[in-house]
Amino acid sequence: MEAEIPGRSRSPEPPGDAGPPGGESPGGEPSGGEPRPHRKGAAVADVRRYGQPPGLKDRRNEEHWAGRLYMRALSPYFAWIALRLGFSPNQLTYLMMLSGVAAGVVVSLPASPVWTAVAGAVLIQIYLLLDCVDGEVARYLRQTSVAGVFLDRIGHYLSEVSLLIGLGFMAQGGWENGGWAELGLVAALGAALIKAETDNVVVARAKSGLPADPSGGDRALRPRSTGIALARQAASTLRFHRIIGAVELSLLILAAALLDSVFGADGPVAVRVLMVTVAAVAVLQTLLHLVSILASRRLK
């Protein structure tokens, strides 16, 4: 019942192509590993070669379906632009954070729901693009770092929480207190807790002196109880947890706003139905994910 993480993209480079974080030699080529063109002389093909190592699109629970479907085809062109303009990986991550948070703010605006939903969906696509680009630039420059992974994770927390809060205010009908806004806060708390549950597996293992990943591969993720394992498999097949992800949620918000506009409902009926559904999924997923972790071998 892992929540998928769009493009958590500061993964290590392939064996034989690793170098110390940081940097370029005085001659303009990155220090260590295979020589590659200076950032301002890189071609899109170079970015694709060094920034998208083999297996990048196949990372379990990390590569978002939109990344595999279209964004990884587009991102090398924007990574090439970022390299030529001199952006660092962390600067791109900060822009990713800004785009994600701005999406939630825009969705919450007391204006035409259709246009705020369109703007929110566009900002989330930019967020996803930057989430791909920051990792590709980091790998090209050999500037992958623990700080980069940390900022990337914080960016995902902020973006999902912001969008869910924005949906609550859209359902409320404006910037005012009320049950719909509070329901958005409940959903946002659930989304944050799901990510915290996943991340705290690594924290708990590290504090116990264990490696980050449990031995046994996929078997360690499966609950020991047959009933819980079947429930986990059913939930994973249905993918219902995806509706609280930023990309899917932004598209659902747009669809709900369009439905309300087309049918001329008295109030944001479709948006409110979506808000209730999302809050229910967030609360249920928080509990199921916790039970799944405790019933698996991840904490052993």
Side-chain angles (χ1 to χ4, degrees):
M1 297 182 189
E2 298 276 340
E4 290 201 356
I5 304 165
R8 191 172 62 193
S9 54
R10 303 280 178 95
S11 61
E13 296 191 353
D17 195 27
E24 298 179 3
S25 64
E29 291 181 348
S31 56
E34 179 183 347
R36 61 189 65 172
H38 184 274
R39 62 183 301 158
K40 292 189 181 296
V44 173
D46 296 319
V47 176
R48 189 175 288 111
R49 177 184 178 188
Y50 298 111
Q52 295 186 351
L56 180 71
K57 295 182 181 180
D58 301 322
R59 297 176 303 168
R60 186 180 183 277
N61 293 321
E62 292 187 27
E63 188 68 6
H64 194 272
W65 61 264
R68 291 190 294 269
L69 185 62
Y70 60 89
M71 197 59 80
R72 287 293 181 186
L74 298 175
S75 58
Y77 296 95
F78 291 89
W80 173 77
I81 293 171
L83 285 168
R84 294 189 68 85
L85 292 177
F87 282 99
S88 71
N90 285 352
Q91 287 172 338
L92 293 166
T93 304
Y94 287 128
L95 289 174
M96 179 199 80
M97 290 182 187
L98 180 62
S99 180
V101 172
V105 173
V106 168
V107 163
S108 75
L109 292 174
S112 169
V114 171
W115 290 112
T116 59
V118 168
V122 170
L123 284 166
I124 289 298
Q125 290 299 310
I126 295 172
Y127 150 85
L128 178 61
L129 174 64
L130 290 168
D131 193 30
C132 294
V133 169
D134 66 354
E136 291 169 6
V137 169
R139 282 186 289 272
Y140 189 89
L141 297 176
R142 296 190 180 97
Q143 291 179 357
T144 57
S145 66
V146 175
V149 175
F150 175 79
L151 289 173
D152 204 57
R153 297 292 296 146
I154 294 296
H156 296 313
Y157 273 72
L158 290 174
S159 300
E160 289 191 9
V161 165
S162 176
L163 195 58
L164 286 163
I165 293 173
L167 174 60
F169 281 111
M170 177 184 275
Q172 188 67 39
W175 286 350
E176 57 185 42
N177 294 328
W180 296 106
E182 292 167 1
L183 200 58
L185 291 172
V186 169
L189 176 61
L193 285 174
I194 292 166
K195 290 188 177 298
E197 288 168 358
T198 300
D199 291 343
N200 273 297
V201 170
V202 178
V203 173
R205 292 182 64 84
K207 284 183 174 290
S208 301
L210 299 172
D213 295 322
S215 59
D218 287 345
R219 288 188 296 108
L221 303 178
R222 299 172 192 153
R224 288 163 288 181
S225 165
T226 303
I228 296 176
L230 289 174
R232 179 181 185 273
Q233 184 177 1
S236 178
T237 301
L238 294 172
R239 304 287 185 184
F240 70 92
H241 63 273
R242 283 187 172 180
I243 71 170
I244 58 176
V247 175
E248 291 85 354
L249 182 57
S250 68
L251 298 177
L252 288 172
I253 291 172
L254 176 57
L258 287 170
L259 284 174
D260 284 333
S261 176
V262 169
F263 291 102
D266 184 16
V269 176
V271 169
R272 287 176 175 176
V273 170
L274 176 61
M275 183 71 263
V276 171
T277 304
V278 166
V281 168
V283 171
L284 182 61
Q285 179 68 7
T286 301
L287 297 174
L288 292 178
H289 192 43
L290 177 62
V291 170
S292 176
I293 289 171
L294 292 175
S296 72
R297 298 174 180 80
R298 279 177 274 190
L299 299 177
K300 301 295 183 182

